[in-house]
Amino acid sequence: MLVIAAVQLLLVSLAGAGLHFYGERVTALSVLIGGALCALPNAYFGLRAFRESGARAASRVVENFYRGETGKFVLSLAGFAAVFALVRPLNPAALFISYGLCVIVQWVLAARLLR
């Protein structure tokens, strides 16, 4: 899961750098923030959920998955609230598109890793 978050952050950084290079500073910042709002809670989930493994730790593994998913949800909500309250100027369309594309990258990479 941490590999997926790293790839997401790399792709978002490249997109943000490209937009910044073309003079779209607000859009670049919005793309970076949108990607971070997806990748960082994802990394938290990966660290929390895959902390333990094995048949003897099955109940702790399930508990860690629930706690990881809850934490991911709370981090995402708090992140979006903080961004909309504190970041001015902001391009909401770029923020949500970047977030959505990071989710799609997550799905594709997770499917490839499970093969």
Side-chain angles (χ1 to χ4, degrees), residues 29-100:
L29 178 64
S30 300
V31 165
L32 286 171
I33 292 171
L37 285 174
C38 181
L40 297 178
N42 219 15
Y44 172 80
F45 173 78
L47 287 171
R48 183 70 188 200
F50 297 107
R51 183 181 293 182
E52 299 180 51
S53 64
R56 292 184 183 194
S59 64
R60 289 191 308 270
V61 169
V62 171
E63 182 180 324
N64 284 337
F65 264 75
Y66 282 123
R67 287 187 180 184
E69 190 61 37
T70 301
K72 179 180 171 181
F73 184 71
V74 169
L75 286 171
S76 296
L77 284 178
F80 274 108
V83 166
F84 283 112
L86 301 173
V87 178
R88 301 277 189 256
L90 183 71
N91 183 338
L95 180 103
F96 284 118
I97 290 169
S98 174
Y99 182 87

